[in-house]
Amino acid sequence: MSQRSCLSVILAAGEGTRMKSALPKVLHQIAGLPMVAHVVKAADAAGATSDAIVIGHGAEEMRKAVAKFSPRAETFVQEERLGTAHAVLAAREAISRGYDDILVMFGDTPLIDADALNLARLKLAEGAAVAVIGFRTPNPNGYGRLVEKGGKLIAIREEKDCSEAEKKIGFCNAGMMAVAGAHALKLLDAVGNKNAKGEYYLTDIVEIAGAQGLDVVATEASFENALGINNRAELAQAEGIWQQRRRQEAMLSGVTLLAPETVYFSYDTEIGADTVVEPNVWFGPGVKIAGGAKIHAFSHIEGATIASNCDVGPFARLRPGADLRNKAKVGNFCEVKQAVVEEGAKVNHLTYIGDARVGAGANIGAGTITCNYDGYSKFFTDIGEGAFVGSNSSLVAPVSIGKGGYIASGSVITESVPDDALAFGRARQKTIPGKGKELRERFASAAAVKKKAVGADH
């Protein structure tokens, strides 16, 4: 298979009106990645050497999105909506380059996997001209049926056209297929539009190929592979299936999920063996976690790197650029953004660390914040190895705390602190004996007078 060239043609021109959205349907996301990008990933995993995406509605927005998730992919515009075969032919220029295999897929079937595509490609390698991907269901109502005879696929029959015997067929059309590149354009050009809608249907190539003496076969995939998304409810269903697959994969790879159904991964989450994830944790894009980490409940992590044996949460938020080194700790109700927390350092609770470095073994007290933004620009805070920052301190960047530096609790630090120095940055306390009692009596008397006056008014 690796010696055969392959083009994936992904149809993504539909308007998706049932999504009720200004965003093109195939750009709605599953696990943080547009649906159509999931399809591209599956095609590439199945050995596609080139990708052609047929677009229409929101063409410019589609081009920009495609450039981000698949820079090598070409886009082709289907100017008119004249059916699926017509849509495939919008990519005629790419198809004509002489690929061994052509995979035809849909941008709104994000759960298709590489194994299903590889099986269809294998049938081409064995000599078939067309391999149609199907699925079996106990309730085939509404689906096109795959009609087979003698091990060959002879027709794809829409339900309204099925005989009573054909309606009992449980093998249904998933819509996707593999076509031998040597025959693709000849078969597509032979598709006519003599039907009720006057459209050119891709499914017609099955009977066309058979009439030309070419082999046509069907391969079987799971129903999930064929799940198309037309509205927000189906989008949520697909998200749930994707997450279930990913959780299973993680657990089989040595990750402990204490309540799997409450953990949400992104398409690119990397998580090492012996990591423990407690309930209600959300991983956004760009998260990499080495083995042996512990992620406590209700943590929200995105764009972060977490080294081995780190401890995060509960209720922690790691934003893009958070980089936790070996055995670092970011505890409850802490937020870290664009900052390195070096080996063994502790940011235990109620703290914000942004645009900063926390040196190895340093301890950051509760309520500490790095004041990194002046309303116009971001500035850096450097906290040295072994430093101790007392609770409720504000470090006003740009500023550095030297190795072994000690910041007294409640300080506002505006100047850099040398190694091993002690810094106070707070007003001097003044204590006046008896003044507390005097204030209480004054306030109580004023309150009584106010209450009496209100009563008199009523």
Side-chain angles (χ1 to χ4, degrees):
M1 294 293 292
S2 61
Q3 296 176 350
R4 296 175 64 86
S5 61
C6 178
L7 169 71
S8 73
V9 178
I10 299 170
L11 307 186
E15 293 186 17
T17 54
R18 281 179 283 176
M19 295 296 286
K20 299 200 175 358
S21 174
L23 185 71
K25 178 172 72 169
V26 298
L27 294 186
H28 285 264
Q29 295 187 346
I30 300 288
L33 191 69
M35 285 193 280
V36 65
H38 282 277
V39 180
V40 171
K41 282 171 62 70
D44 292 352
T49 48
S50 300
D51 303 300
I53 302 178
V54 178
I55 61 176
H57 174 63
E60 191 54 38
E61 191 172 6
M62 284 290 297
R63 284 194 186 94
K64 290 179 181 178
V66 170
K68 289 180 181 178
F69 65 73
S70 183
R72 81 173 189 184
E74 294 181 89
T75 56
F76 299 88
V77 178
Q78 183 188 15
E79 299 290 354
E80 298 179 89
R81 309 292 186 272
L82 299 179
T84 47
H86 178 263
V88 175
L89 281 171
R92 179 187 292 273
E93 178 187 340
I95 297 170
S96 65
R97 292 174 190 153
Y99 294 92
D100 294 313
D101 302 338
I102 308 294
L103 285 172
V104 180
M105 308 161 71
F106 292 86
D108 61 358
T109 55
L111 300 178
I112 183 67
D113 62 38
D115 289 344
L117 300 174
N118 269 323
L119 180 57
R121 288 193 65 201
L122 179 61
K123 296 300 181 183
L124 299 188
E126 292 173 349
V130 181
V132 175
I133 298 175
F135 64 94
R136 296 188 186 276
T137 173
N139 182 20
N141 291 337
Y143 296 108
R145 308 303 204 275
L146 299 183
V147 183
E148 295 178 293
K149 184 176 181 180
K152 304 296 183 183
L153 183 65
I154 61 173
I156 301 176
R157 197 88 73 214
E158 293 304 315
E159 186 174 54
K160 58 183 173 53
D161 299 322
C162 285
S163 66
E164 288 304 312
E166 289 169 342
K167 285 181 180 179
K168 296 178 182 178
I169 297 172
F171 197 20
C172 301
N173 178 30
M176 295 161 282
M177 62 177 67
V179 184
H183 303 293
L185 287 178
K186 181 175 65 174
L187 293 173
L188 289 164
D189 284 332
V191 174
N193 66 340
K194 292 181 179 180
N195 52 63
K197 290 188 176 181
E199 293 186 352
Y200 299 85
Y201 294 128
L202 179 63
T203 51
D204 287 353
I205 72 171
V206 169
E207 293 185 66
I208 293 170
Q212 294 179 5
L214 301 173
D215 282 344
V216 182
V217 297
T219 63
E220 185 175 343
S222 69
F223 171 74
E224 293 175 356
N225 279 268
L227 185 64
I229 309 304
N230 295 301
N231 55 50
R232 310 285 181 132
E234 291 172 351
L235 183 69
Q237 181 187 4
E239 177 79 39
I241 293 169
W242 190 96
Q243 292 293 342
Q244 187 176 21
R245 286 179 177 179
R246 184 65 184 89
R247 293 164 188 151
Q248 183 77 358
E249 178 186 314
M251 290 186 288
L252 293 178
S253 298
V255 177
T256 295
L257 305 180
L258 297 184
E261 69 281 2
T262 70
V263 176
Y264 285 81
F265 293 104
S266 281
Y267 69 96
D268 61 349
T269 305
E270 297 180 19
I271 184 165
D274 289 324
T275 292
V276 175
V277 182
E278 293 182 356
N280 297 294
V281 174
W282 185 86
F283 296 105
V287 175
K288 296 182 179 181
I289 304 174
K294 190 161 188 177
I295 313 298
H296 296 281
F298 294 97
S299 293
H300 186 286
I301 303 171
E302 180 178 5
T305 301
I306 301 172
S308 58
N309 302 306
C310 286
D311 197 286
V312 177
F315 293 95
R317 185 181 183 196
L318 302 184
R319 291 169 58 193
D323 183 356
L324 277 55
R325 305 292 169 83
N326 189 43
K327 295 183 179 179
K329 181 177 181 180
V330 174
N332 52 294
F333 301 102
C334 292
E335 180 176 345
V336 177
K337 186 272 298 183
Q338 202 62 45
V340 176
V341 182
E342 293 187 345
E343 184 171 358
K346 295 179 180 179
V347 183
N348 276 320
H349 32 227
L350 303 162
T351 292
Y352 170 69
I353 301 293
D355 298 284
R357 177 187 75 97
V358 179
N363 187 90
I364 309 299
T368 294
I369 61 170
T370 57
C371 305
N372 57 325
Y373 183 53
D374 65 0
Y376 298 93
S377 302
K378 299 289 180 71
F379 298 94
F380 190 76
T381 299
D382 190 78
I383 301 169
E385 178 183 344
F388 181 93
V389 179
S391 297
N392 203 35
S393 293
S394 298
L395 310 179
V396 183
V399 71
S400 64
I401 311 301
K403 179 179 178 181
Y406 196 110
I407 306 301
S409 296
S411 293
V412 177
I413 301 298
T414 58
E415 298 178 1
S416 292
V417 178
D419 291 355
D420 296 319
L422 169 64
F424 289 81
R426 63 192 184 201
R428 183 178 297 277
Q429 179 176 321
K430 183 176 181 180
T431 304
I432 304 175
K435 192 67 174 179
K437 181 180 179 181
E438 178 188 326
L439 288 174
R440 284 195 304 274
E441 291 172 348
R442 185 196 307 170
F443 295 154
S445 176
V449 170
K450 183 177 181 181
K451 183 177 182 182
K452 185 176 181 182
V454 172
D457 289 342
H458 286 79

